[in-house]
Amino acid sequence: QAQLVESGGGVVQAGGSLRLSCAASGITFNDNGGGWFRQAPGKGREFVAAVSWIGSHVYYADAVKGRFLLGRDDARKTLFLQMDRLKTDDTAVYYCALGKAVAVRTQSLYSHWGQGTQVTVSS
């Protein structure tokens, strides 16, 4: 059974940093693309960053470009999201996802999802 477990969320002051991890099990990790999405209170879930299934190209939402960095460790079956210079607008539940998504921003193309981890950025 495929399982994704996020960790690393928490409370941080604006301008601070957090590093999220997503550990995968029961899935061929290096045969999938991976993405991070987030859902702020009262809003829909939105794309944050992803590495494509084909070519391992990395993409970022405009709102996080230059501040967030996505990485993956195939040996450890782990996806990372380094978040620097955090803003209060980054407060959300962050989800990782794996799948053979050609269009990396399309949530429905990801077949596996984690349970989410809360990130709260205080002013």
Side-chain angles (χ1 to χ4, degrees):
Q1 177 105 13
Q3 187 176 19
L4 302 180
V5 179
E6 300 101 333
S7 61
V11 180
V12 64
Q13 284 192 325
S17 298
L18 283 174
R19 182 178 172 90
L20 304 184
S21 296
C22 172
S25 61
I27 187 171
T28 306
F29 184 80
N30 58 2
D31 194 32
N32 284 273
W36 288 95
F37 296 81
R38 67 186 182 186
Q39 187 167 18
K43 296 185 178 180
R45 192 163 57 187
E46 65 177 6
F47 170 76
V48 176
V51 53
S52 65
W53 168 43
I54 299 174
S56 295
H57 302 291
V58 181
Y59 302 85
Y60 297 96
D62 288 343
V64 307
K65 200 172 295 183
R67 300 187 297 119
F68 290 12
L69 185 67
L70 182 149
R72 65 184 292 167
D73 184 335
D74 287 351
R76 297 183 179 181
K77 296 187 177 182
T78 302
L79 198 66
F80 301 100
L81 187 68
Q82 177 66 40
M83 306 186 295
D84 297 323
R85 291 183 282 144
L86 283 161
K87 305 176 181 179
T88 55
D89 287 348
D90 295 319
T91 294
V93 177
Y94 284 71
Y95 299 88
C96 69
L98 291 182
K100 293 178 171 52
V102 176
V104 298
R105 291 173 171 83
T106 304
Q107 297 181 41
S108 61
L109 297 180
Y110 290 88
S111 49
H112 305 287
W113 289 83
Q115 81 289 349
T117 185
Q118 176 70 48
V119 171
T120 302
V121 184
S122 62
S123 58

